[in-house]
């Protein structure tokens, strides 16, 4: 079945590209070479053969972010500029009101030595900081993953917890709920206060509001037609 899907995908792409080539030829013959103008072909949301992103209502995906393959984004998720979610080897789920900040990368491996699922499962009200890297791990609810931190495959981050900026959580590490971990390799530092835990949810909600403001600046369709209307 998958082979047939790939064959149909490749055939469809060939037909589209042939049509584009004929269109460019026709424009050239007519003396109109508008097709040489540079337009970005970047697609923030992209299928990978039969693996398709599923995006719920109220989600903001920045125009230069990349959401690829088997990715599930629940309500009010925000994916920020330059972030990459690559669900090619296994799936990725980002829970309600969570945010993946600028230049963060979330990817997966095909399998884990432990035999546990190799998906990335991110809970609700999670903030993944700028430049963080997460691979085939589980993150609970109300968690802050600090800027530039690395969460390696098979790790599990408990709810109501915080990973400090630049920390490296080694493969297979289990971080209990309600704790702050930091360092390389990351180790237990202290328990979080009730105020800090409450702040985790507030921080995620603030990013949801900010995502709505950014979403209003972008049209849900391209603007190439504006150039065509001038002809």
């Amino acid at each position: 079945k998958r082979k047939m899907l790939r064959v149909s995908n490749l055939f469809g792409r060939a037909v589209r590209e042939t049509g584009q080539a004929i269109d460019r030829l026709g424009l050239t013959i007519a003396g109109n070479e508008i097709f040489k103008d540079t337009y970005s072909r970047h697609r923030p949301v992209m299928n990978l053969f039969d693996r398709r992103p599923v995006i719920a209502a109220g989600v903001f995906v920045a125009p230069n972010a990349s959401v690829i393959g088997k990715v599930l984004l629940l309500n009010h998720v925000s994916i920020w500029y330059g972030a990459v979610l690559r669900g090619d080897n296994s799936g990725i789920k980002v829970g309600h009101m969570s945010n993946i900040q600028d230049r963060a990368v979330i990817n997966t491996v095909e399998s884990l030595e432990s035999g546990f699922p190799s998906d990335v499962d991110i809970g609700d009200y999670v903030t993944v900081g700028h430049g963080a890297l997460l691979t085939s791990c589980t993150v609970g609810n109300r968690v802050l993953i600090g800027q530039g931190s690395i969460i390696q495959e098979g790790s599990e981050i408990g709810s109501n917890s915080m990973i400090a900026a630049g920390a490296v959580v080694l493969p297979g590490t289990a971080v209990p709920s309600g704790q702050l971990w930091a360092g390389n390799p990351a180790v237990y530092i202290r328990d979080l206060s009730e105020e800090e835990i409450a702040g985790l949810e507030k921080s995620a909600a603030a990013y949801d509001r900010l995502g709505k403001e950014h979403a209003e600046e972008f049209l849900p369709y391209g603007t190439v037609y504006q150039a065509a209307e001038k002809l």
Side-chain angles (χ1 to χ4, degrees), residues 6-212:
R6 293 197 175 193
V7 169
S8 61
N9 180 278
L10 291 172
F11 178 73
R13 178 175 178 178
V15 171
R16 295 200 314 271
E17 292 183 350
T18 300
Q20 290 173 348
I22 294 172
D23 181 57
R24 291 193 294 268
L25 176 61
L27 287 169
T28 301
I29 293 172
N32 181 359
E33 296 187 345
I34 190 173
F35 63 87
K36 290 186 177 180
D37 292 345
T38 301
Y39 294 104
S40 174
R41 297 187 65 185
H42 175 72
R43 291 182 288 168
V45 179
M46 189 178 79
N47 299 341
L48 191 63
F49 298 108
D50 58 328
R51 285 160 284 187
R52 303 170 182 271
V54 177
I55 299 178
V59 171
F60 167 64
V61 178
N64 66 337
S66 298
V67 177
I68 304 166
K70 188 179 179 182
V71 179
L72 172 62
L73 305 180
L74 298 186
N75 298 67
H76 302 290
V77 165
S78 55
I79 310 298
W80 292 86
Y81 302 93
V84 177
L85 284 72
R86 203 177 76 234
D88 46 7
N89 292 314
S90 299
I92 296 171
K93 188 210 81 174
V94 181
H96 172 75
M97 204 72 78
S98 293
N99 61 89
I100 311 301
Q101 296 180 5
D102 311 63
R103 298 180 293 100
V105 176
I106 300 177
N107 61 11
T108 59
V109 297
E110 290 186 358
S111 61
L112 298 174
E113 292 183 0
S114 63
F116 287 103
S118 56
D119 295 342
V120 172
D121 190 342
I122 296 175
D124 302 336
Y125 295 96
V126 173
T127 295
V128 176
H130 303 73
L133 171 62
L134 285 69
T135 303
S136 292
C137 59
T138 299
V139 179
N141 301 321
R142 295 173 299 280
V143 174
L144 170 63
I145 306 295
Q147 299 181 16
S149 57
I150 299 174
I151 314 298
Q152 297 184 338
E153 59 269 19
S155 299
E156 183 173 350
I157 312 300
S159 298
N160 303 320
S161 59
M162 186 182 301
I163 304 299
V168 178
V169 178
L170 297 180
T173 300
V175 175
S177 298
Q179 295 185 357
L180 167 65
W181 282 48
N184 182 7
V187 295
Y188 168 78
I189 302 299
R190 61 175 175 82
D191 290 343
L192 295 182
S193 66
E194 292 184 3
E195 292 77 11
E196 288 173 321
I197 292 174
L200 296 174
E201 186 166 322
K202 291 179 181 178
S203 174
Y207 263 93
D208 173 56
R209 292 192 295 271
L210 186 59
K212 288 182 172 61

